[in-house]
Amino acid sequence: MGFRSRIHKFATKSPSRAFQTLANRELWKALARRSEFGLATAGAAVGVAAGLAVTAMSYAAGELHQLIFGIGGTDRLSSAQIEDRLVLLAAPVGGGILLGVLLFTLAKKRKRQLVDPIEANALHGGRLSLTDSILVAVQNIISNGFGASVGLEAGYTQLSAGIASKLGITLRLRRADLRVLVGCGAAGAIAAAFNAPLTGAFYAFELIIGAYTIVSLTPVVVSALVATQVARFFAGNEFIIDVGDFGSVVPADYLPALLLGTGCAGVAILLMQGVAFVEEIARKSSIAPAFRPALGGIVVGLLAMISPQVLSGGHGALHLNLDNVVPVPTLIGLFLLKSVASAISIGSGFRGGLFFASLFMGALLGKLFAYTAPYFNDATLTPVIYAVVGMSSLAVAVIGGPLTMTFLALEITGDFPITALVLAAVITSSFVVRSTFGYSFATWRFHLRGESIRSAHDVGWIRNLTVEKLMRTDVRTMPVSATVEEFRQAFPIGSAQRVVLVDDNGKYAGMVLVPEVYGGLVEKAESSRTIVDYARYLNDVLQPQMNAKQAAALFDKTESEALAVVNDLIERRVVGQLSESHTLRRYSEELDRRRREISGEL
């Protein structure tokens, strides 16, 4: 039964029967799969789940802060006055031990790599394990709750996207729609976490979905708005960033803002490389992964004894430093302590992200840069505006998403002139990072794992379009020791275009073009001619696991119209044959299909 007929049948039923039909999963599946309204409804449901997930995780981490560090119910950990130095040292170590036990248990029971929303949308068509997402969220709560220098935003987006993926799989959504719904989960999470629906929506477009389309606009924005309202209902103003009073912006302010954006880009690159450096040291050491968080906790605890502002994501510390005049040595010291603590926390195995930490460190850089204001003629930027510019510029360099960070500045200040200034700075910062480094924090970590992902653009279908799926298995073969006469008898002209040669052990030994054999292109005495004299592409072969893009590159390199497919490069047993024309045709068909999915034509 078609979608329209289902709706008509539903509308003409009696109220009692109509209510029963509301529980019919098949109707909801049809609604979500075949109409934008259905996808928007699913986005709203995901927004509710995201708002609840963010509120619950924040509440759990806050309760741990109160229980472990003894702070008040309205205090933020990074801005609280904690007199007990032993607690500051012991808490991150205890969290590291607990996390290590969890990691050890998971290593025994779960062998697969945890997938985050960016990787899921780039490679797996939006498919995320909800169980894995819950595990990531729990690890994030433990890490943040015991004071590790990480934010909860990674857990927010992971859990919300996992719920969205589970819902989409249950509704049997198409690949493109499932990717959009995962984006709805991430949008709701970030929107709720910062009380900023536009920020959440463009976080999804730029970082999770990888593109903005009219089809994806409604469900993503709906999810962000709903999640914001849900979080605001349960948590009030807990997630609001208050920057206080700030001055006005004049044209002369753009030059220092651009310079600050450039400086933040350089600092972000150092920070990302610092995390990778710590991880590399940990990998090269003989320390088991389960023990690394505890050792990292020792370092974080020692740094917290110097300043508790390095603990957790830094919400309280951000407001503390925005509201007060801070001397230059203190700003420099806090920035160094926070950057080292964040790098050690993530590099040693604590679970979390650098979203809010980068905002905090960017604000410190901005206020530090504010002391250079007298050197810029006619510039009127106040320290608070410098802080907002620094927040956005460092965050965009680490996280990515220029429009995401621009809208964050707009939503926390409500000022359009400042937003335009931030836009100029974040574009500069993003350009410098892309030109010199090429990665954001998430894609840099993919690169370290050997993945070539640069964004959430859907490249998974390319990997799924493998040589094994494209090749023909009815391969014509001939022993490499055969004479030309034997070959001609076995393959009369017109019977085949290509024949694969194999040796006595069945290994690939080259490919022969039948017309060449009958053309007599090899100048040798007839009695001494063997078919191997006509062999081509002796070492140029495809393997089943190659994708269409890799196969096309090899065709282009060898200037061949077809190549043999072998099982591996050691045994070299022939399993098939693939032509360039068929590969390019199938690749073009799939590419067009993805384009039509994104544009809503399918």
Side-chain angles (χ1 to χ4, degrees):
M1 182 184 295
F3 171 70
R4 293 183 183 276
S5 59
R6 289 185 187 215
I7 295 298
H8 176 73
K9 185 176 180 181
F10 172 73
T12 55
K13 285 184 176 181
S14 64
S16 59
R17 295 189 63 192
F19 179 78
Q20 293 174 359
T21 308
L22 284 174
N24 188 338
R25 287 200 306 170
E26 294 302 318
L27 177 64
W28 288 111
K29 290 175 183 178
L31 182 66
R33 283 176 59 88
R34 303 187 185 185
S35 76
E36 290 188 40
F37 174 76
L39 192 58
T41 303
V46 168
V48 172
L52 293 175
V54 169
T55 304
M57 286 185 62
S58 177
Y59 175 78
E63 289 296 305
L64 285 176
H65 292 163
Q66 295 176 44
L67 177 65
I68 296 168
F69 294 93
I71 64 176
T74 59
D75 293 336
R76 293 280 194 174
L77 176 60
S78 57
S79 61
Q81 297 294 324
I82 304 173
E83 302 298 335
D84 193 338
R85 297 298 181 186
L86 182 60
V87 171
L88 291 173
L89 175 62
V93 177
I97 294 173
L98 181 57
L99 187 61
V101 172
L102 181 58
L103 292 175
F104 179 79
T105 304
L106 292 177
K108 294 290 185 180
K109 296 184 177 182
R110 306 181 75 84
K111 301 296 182 182
R112 65 174 180 267
Q113 184 82 29
L114 295 175
V115 177
D116 79 351
I118 296 177
E119 187 177 2
N121 265 8
L123 299 180
H124 308 297
R127 290 184 170 270
L128 271 169
S129 167
L130 180 57
T131 302
D132 287 354
S133 297
I134 293 173
L135 290 173
V136 169
V138 170
Q139 293 175 45
N140 199 176
I141 291 171
I142 293 173
S143 301
N144 182 279
F146 280 81
S149 190
V150 294
L152 287 169
E153 293 77 24
Y156 293 157
T157 56
Q158 182 76 40
L159 181 56
S160 301
I163 294 171
S165 181
K166 182 67 174 179
L167 175 61
I169 293 172
T170 301
L171 296 175
R172 290 184 286 194
L173 295 182
R174 296 167 298 183
R175 183 186 183 96
D177 292 341
L178 182 58
R179 294 180 73 252
V180 170
L181 202 60
V182 169
C184 290
I190 296 300
F194 293 96
N195 193 42
L198 287 176
T199 301
F202 277 86
Y203 179 89
F205 292 136
E206 293 186 301
L207 301 173
I208 306 300
I209 301 174
Y212 163 82
T213 65
I214 296 298
V215 175
S216 62
L217 175 64
T218 301
V220 169
V221 172
V222 165
S223 178
L225 289 171
V226 170
T228 302
Q229 296 304 316
V230 170
R232 189 177 295 173
F233 177 79
F234 285 102
N237 297 327
E238 181 180 351
F239 299 110
I240 293 178
I241 298 176
D242 183 10
V243 297
D245 296 327
F246 46 83
S248 59
V249 175
V250 298
D253 296 329
Y254 278 83
L255 177 59
L258 296 178
L259 293 176
L260 178 55
T262 304
C264 286
V267 171
I269 293 172
L270 292 177
L271 178 62
M272 289 185 282
Q273 289 183 326
V275 173
F277 177 72
V278 174
E279 290 180 330
E280 183 66 19
I281 291 178
R283 276 195 298 268
K284 290 182 177 179
S285 70
S286 57
I287 303 171
F291 294 103
R292 294 171 190 170
L295 295 176
I298 295 175
V299 179
V300 173
L302 292 174
L303 295 175
M305 293 175 69
I306 301 174
S307 174
Q309 293 188 41
V310 304
L311 295 173
S312 184
H315 288 73
L318 172 65
H319 289 98
L320 186 65
N321 288 277
L322 283 175
D323 295 339
N324 298 291
V325 177
V326 185
V328 171
T330 303
L331 288 171
I332 295 175
L334 278 176
F335 176 81
L336 293 176
L337 289 173
K338 183 63 178 180
S339 58
V340 172
S342 296
I344 293 293
S345 295
I346 295 177
S348 62
F350 283 103
R351 179 70 68 171
L354 289 176
F355 198 128
F356 206 95
S358 64
L359 292 176
F360 174 39
M361 289 186 284
L364 294 177
L365 286 178
K367 295 206 72 172
L368 186 62
F369 190 82
Y371 283 95
T372 67
Y375 298 98
F376 296 97
N377 293 330
D378 301 323
T380 61
L381 291 180
T382 64
V384 174
I385 295 180
Y386 275 118
V388 173
V389 173
M391 286 167 54
S392 303
S393 299
L394 187 64
V396 77
V398 174
I399 306 301
L403 290 178
T404 301
M405 301 309 165
T406 302
F407 278 114
L408 179 60
L410 174 62
E411 290 181 298
I412 65 177
T413 64
D415 188 274
F416 282 98
I418 292 178
T419 303
L421 189 71
V422 168
L423 179 60
V426 299
I427 288 176
T428 302
S429 178
S430 180
F431 173 77
V432 171
V433 171
R434 285 187 291 105
S435 301
T436 60
F437 191 62
Y439 299 92
S440 66
F441 179 64
T443 54
W444 171 240
R445 291 168 72 81
F446 292 146
H447 169 73
L448 296 177
R449 282 170 33 196
E451 293 284 0
S452 58
I453 306 171
R454 293 296 185 98
S455 71
H457 286 288
D458 190 5
V459 296
W461 65 269
I462 299 176
R463 299 192 179 191
N464 293 333
L465 193 63
T466 60
V467 168
E468 184 176 17
K469 294 180 179 179
L470 297 173
M471 70 182 185
R472 294 176 51 184
T473 57
D474 55 334
V475 184
R476 312 290 291 274
T477 62
M478 190 74 181
V480 71
S481 58
T483 64
V484 172
E485 189 60 33
E486 291 172 339
F487 183 89
R488 287 175 174 174
Q489 291 178 2
F491 299 100
I493 190 167
S495 62
Q497 284 292 319
R498 302 169 188 85
V499 176
V500 174
L501 301 181
V502 294
D503 63 15
D504 296 337
N505 297 320
K507 285 188 175 183
Y508 172 79
M511 180 180 287
V512 172
L513 304 182
V514 174
E516 287 187 357
V517 176
Y518 284 90
L521 298 179
V522 177
E523 298 294 335
K524 281 196 175 184
E526 187 70 30
S527 59
S528 63
R529 291 171 68 185
T530 60
I531 197 61
V532 74
D533 295 325
Y534 293 91
R536 290 174 170 241
Y537 318 122
L538 302 182
N539 296 309
D540 298 317
V541 292
L542 299 169
Q543 297 180 69
Q545 69 272 19
M546 286 181 172
N547 60 52
K549 191 173 182 180
Q550 293 170 323
L554 189 57
F555 284 128
D556 186 60
K557 176 183 176 183
T558 59
E559 298 181 354
S560 58
E561 295 181 358
L563 289 172
V565 183
V566 300
N567 62 332
D568 58 52
L569 296 180
I570 298 176
E571 189 177 355
R572 290 169 64 92
R573 178 171 54 83
V574 178
V575 295
Q577 180 179 301
L578 181 62
S579 69
E580 181 182 30
S581 59
H582 180 66
T583 303
L584 295 179
R585 183 171 65 253
R586 288 287 293 113
Y587 182 83
S588 298
E589 289 172 354
E590 288 296 322
L591 190 63
D592 184 61
R593 177 179 174 81
R594 304 306 166 189
R595 179 194 63 77
R596 287 185 286 128
E597 282 184 348
I598 291 174
S599 62
E601 297 176 26
L602 286 181

